[in-house]
Amino acid sequence: MRKAILAIIDFFHPPLKKYISLHNFRYLATGGSTFVLGYVVYYLSFYHLFKAEEVDVLYFTLKRGTAAMAVDFAVAIPYSFIMNRYVVFTHSEVRGRVQLFRFMNLQFINILLNISLYKFLADVLLIYPTVARFAVQILLAGFSYIYQHYFTFSVKKLGKKG
């Protein structure tokens, strides 16, 4: 499966290879697929799964957008970890359980930032919910890349230390 995914991604890289490394292109492609998956799941949840403006979940009442975001996270987070671990950052020497712990740490941070920024854009600035969700995802993409590249799936540098 990994080889098939890489073959598809790598097919589109040649026209861009003088602008972006293969590794970064693969990260952008898998991140882009995660973005699209999350956005589609959010959209379907917001417009088709949750019809009422408020959703009762156990002992909590959530606004429809927050509930849709929770469904989005439940689908996109596992997909993202699998794609990053087995497609993009395959040369990492960090153990799988450590990667998972670090990745979930990032996701916790992202969830807090997502909810805060989303609520600010949608509830305070009254930006349309799906547009607010899109804007938040774009803002957090760069942060996630840096965190994952240099911490979650870090690879030891080769050469002399000095």
Side-chain angles (χ1 to χ4, degrees):
M1 184 63 126
R2 178 184 185 274
K3 287 181 181 180
I5 293 168
L6 287 176
I8 293 167
I9 293 170
D10 293 354
F11 175 79
F12 294 99
H13 181 250
L16 302 170
K17 69 180 172 187
K18 70 181 193 180
Y19 304 108
I20 187 168
S21 71
L22 181 59
H23 174 77
N24 287 343
F25 185 77
R26 287 175 176 175
Y27 181 80
L28 283 173
T30 58
S33 70
T34 303
F35 173 83
V36 170
L37 174 66
Y39 199 72
V40 167
V41 169
Y42 175 84
Y43 179 89
L44 292 173
S45 299
F46 188 85
Y47 290 106
H48 301 290
L49 183 60
F50 303 116
K51 299 289 186 178
E53 285 302 313
E54 292 186 339
V55 179
D56 291 325
V57 181
L58 298 174
Y59 301 105
F60 302 99
T61 300
L62 302 173
K63 289 197 177 226
R64 183 168 72 162
T66 306
M69 198 179 302
V71 175
D72 166 7
F73 291 149
V75 173
I77 288 173
Y79 172 82
S80 179
F81 179 75
I82 290 167
M83 293 300 283
N84 280 301
R85 176 166 164 74
Y86 296 107
V87 176
V88 180
F89 297 105
T90 57
H91 293 92
S92 175
E93 296 173 5
V94 178
R95 298 185 72 145
R97 68 176 176 261
V98 174
Q99 288 177 348
L100 180 60
F101 177 76
R102 291 176 177 180
F103 186 82
M104 292 311 294
N105 217 11
L106 169 65
Q107 296 313 311
F108 179 71
I109 293 165
N110 274 345
I111 287 169
L112 293 177
L113 289 171
N114 263 294
I115 292 170
S116 311
L117 292 170
Y118 173 81
K119 289 209 161 283
F120 176 72
L121 294 176
D123 296 347
V124 176
L125 298 181
L126 301 175
I127 294 174
Y128 200 68
T130 50
V131 174
R133 181 74 183 115
F134 182 81
V136 169
Q137 285 182 308
I138 294 297
L139 289 171
L140 294 178
F143 168 70
S144 293
Y145 173 75
I146 292 167
Y147 190 98
Q148 290 181 111
H149 183 74
Y150 293 105
F151 183 64
T152 303
F153 301 102
S154 62
V155 177
K156 292 179 184 175
K157 301 276 187 210
L158 300 175
K160 293 183 182 179
K161 289 185 179 183

